[in-house]
Amino acid sequence: MATKAHAILSASSSDRWLHCPPSARLCETYEDKGSDYAAEGTDAHALGEYKLKTALGMPADDPTDSLKWYSEEMEDCTSGYAEYVLEQVEAAKETCADPVVLIEQRVDFSRWVEQGFGTTDCIIIADGTLRVIDYKHGLGVLVSAEENPQMQCYALGALELFDDIYDIDQVSMTIYQPRRQNVNTYEISKDDLYRWVDEVLKPTADLAFAGDGNFLCGEWYGFCKAKNECRARAEANLNLAQHDFKLPPLLEDSEIEYILSRVDELIAWASDVKEYALQQAISGKEWHGWKLVEGRSNRKYVDEDAVIRAVTNAGFDPYEKKLLGITAMQKLLGKSRFDELLTAFIEKPQGKPTLVPESDKRPAMNNAKTDFMEEN
């Protein structure tokens, strides 16, 4: 897979710059250091691309030996992705004899977003419908296809290439996120997509490219390079932290509900500030009232094989015996044999109570009040 360039107003960062336009130019001033998560995602995309092209009879080189983050999980995830896309292709053939299938297609949406371009994982065109499928290897953030600006920018770029040729009326966008068991699709008419372009995308992109507009803190800050130093984020979280001057029993219910909706963001911001200050101190910056010290560490063997030989030669057993965990045991026995032998010896205790938003899909558990009402 070829190395991809990055646009100032990239599709992948569109959720951020559409909410916080000046962040686009601000992030330009920061070095792109990348991350292990991004590198793992790149490897997964390369493997998925290879499997999909091979299944479709397209020429492709096997990248497996060069993948630093290759794992059995990545193998399973990308195989599932390839199977899913092939299922969609077969479904398209039911209404279209020869659907168009494109893998890792570069698209250009610069007619609406200055210098805007990107690369789609998969495009399928059949029977007046343009379908865009995007593979997400990440585990941390659940990604929704509904009104997803990255996907809508990709769809725009694909329409630029193929609308005049295939007379497309409908756009379908799918997120395939296997590590979160998340496959979801959002459909929109071509007319409604262009309406969003005129009302939201283009005017905001113009602001962002010029470095204008207002800074705004929100959930979209996650991958912002300036998030550790962003004053808008700091002011939003410091404003929330003012509630800490009251003990919980003194807060109004509405205040507690507001804090609950923002507390994870506050904790994340505080952690980001601490990490930023630490890295700056390591680089030589001195913070007034703070100093850099060596943290605690644990002893470790420098050569485990040498330790094993030395202890064995002295007449001792250097190993400890431990029962395999449930997941490892199921892998050892196989699912059917595991169920046959061990089902009677396994229980799943009730999970620890956790407070989550109402949008969480897990069913609500009883509390002391509801238990009392049921007993009476």
Side-chain angles (χ1 to χ4, degrees):
M1 184 169 63
T3 301
K4 300 172 185 174
H6 294 280
I8 295 171
L9 302 182
S10 67
S12 59
S13 64
S14 57
D15 188 44
R16 171 176 51 76
W17 55 257
L18 280 170
H19 285 96
C20 181
S23 68
R25 287 296 184 183
L26 180 61
C27 285
E28 258 197 306
T29 64
Y30 288 80
E31 179 185 356
D32 187 2
K33 297 180 179 179
S35 69
D36 289 346
Y37 301 112
E40 183 181 27
T42 298
D43 279 2
H45 273 82
L47 187 59
E49 176 187 355
Y50 164 71
K51 289 185 177 183
L52 197 47
K53 283 185 174 180
T54 301
L56 292 168
M58 302 177 183
D61 296 324
D62 188 347
T64 306
D65 291 341
S66 64
L67 301 180
K68 177 181 177 182
W69 297 94
Y70 176 82
S71 66
E72 185 176 336
E73 181 187 36
M74 184 181 292
E75 182 75 27
D76 291 341
C77 288
T78 52
S79 292
Y81 164 64
E83 290 171 6
Y84 175 80
V85 172
L86 289 176
E87 289 173 1
Q88 308 316 306
V89 173
E90 290 304 312
K93 288 181 179 178
E94 294 178 3
T95 57
C96 176
D98 189 22
V100 176
V101 183
L102 301 163
I103 310 301
E104 293 295 320
Q105 174 67 45
R106 181 185 169 98
V107 293
D108 188 308
F109 46 93
S110 59
R111 180 149 68 100
W112 306 279
V113 177
E114 190 74 27
Q115 301 178 14
F117 64 89
T119 302
T120 60
D121 295 336
C122 178
I123 296 173
I124 302 172
I125 305 173
D127 195 29
T129 298
L130 166 73
R131 181 158 196 179
V132 180
I133 303 174
D134 196 44
Y135 178 89
K136 299 291 187 186
H137 194 66
L139 182 62
V141 179
L142 188 70
V143 183
S144 172
E146 185 172 356
E147 297 183 344
N148 184 309
Q150 177 183 8
M151 298 293 287
Q152 293 184 166
C153 285
Y154 286 161
L156 282 172
L159 285 171
E160 277 287 273
L161 289 172
F162 303 112
D163 191 24
D164 290 341
I165 303 173
Y166 296 103
D167 194 22
I168 296 164
D169 297 316
Q170 197 74 10
V171 176
S172 173
M173 295 162 280
T174 297
I175 294 291
Y176 187 90
Q177 190 178 15
R179 298 171 77 195
R180 292 294 300 265
Q181 293 79 50
N182 173 36
V183 181
N184 66 95
T185 298
Y186 174 66
E187 295 186 356
I188 187 173
S189 70
K190 181 179 68 175
D191 290 342
D192 284 343
L193 180 61
Y194 282 135
R195 189 173 297 111
W196 171 76
V197 170
D198 293 336
E199 295 176 359
V200 178
L201 181 65
K202 190 177 188 315
T204 310
D206 290 344
L207 279 176
F209 193 78
D212 294 333
N214 297 319
F215 288 99
L216 183 62
C217 175
E219 59 185 18
W220 46 85
Y221 76 84
F223 299 102
C224 180
K225 297 176 188 176
K227 66 179 182 180
N228 296 336
E229 300 168 273
C230 176
R231 181 164 296 280
R233 186 185 178 204
E235 289 174 350
N237 283 286
L238 288 171
N239 181 57
L240 175 62
Q242 291 176 5
H243 290 285
D244 290 346
F245 291 110
K246 292 183 184 179
L247 293 174
L250 302 178
L251 293 168
E252 300 290 338
D253 286 356
S254 60
E255 292 179 299
I256 291 177
E257 289 163 356
Y258 175 69
I259 291 171
L260 285 173
S261 72
R262 297 284 305 278
V263 70
D264 289 339
E265 182 181 332
L266 175 61
I267 294 170
W269 170 72
S271 296
D272 286 342
V273 171
K274 286 185 68 176
E275 179 62 23
Y276 170 77
L278 172 62
Q279 295 304 321
Q280 290 294 304
I282 291 173
S283 299
K285 183 177 180 61
E286 294 185 4
W287 299 102
H288 181 68
W290 296 84
K291 63 182 178 180
L292 196 64
V293 299
E294 183 177 329
R296 296 183 60 186
S297 64
N298 297 317
R299 296 177 298 171
K300 66 177 183 178
Y301 297 123
V302 294
D303 188 336
E304 291 189 359
D305 291 335
V307 171
I308 293 169
R309 288 194 299 269
V311 175
T312 302
N313 291 339
F316 296 92
D317 182 0
Y319 298 100
E320 64 177 356
K321 292 184 178 179
K322 183 179 179 181
L323 183 66
L324 288 174
I326 291 177
T327 301
M329 189 71 78
Q330 183 172 343
K331 186 175 181 180
L332 173 68
L333 300 175
K335 188 177 186 307
S336 59
R337 189 64 170 157
F338 173 86
D339 291 343
E340 176 187 344
L341 292 175
L342 302 180
T343 296
F345 308 112
I346 294 174
E347 67 173 359
K348 193 173 189 290
Q350 185 175 23
K352 181 180 178 181
T354 303
L355 201 58
V356 300
E358 286 187 353
S359 58
D360 192 287
K361 294 182 179 179
R362 287 170 289 184
M365 65 182 291
N366 286 352
N367 54 31
K369 180 179 179 180
T370 53
D371 284 340
F372 176 79
M373 293 175 64
E374 288 177 2
E375 289 176 5
N376 290 273

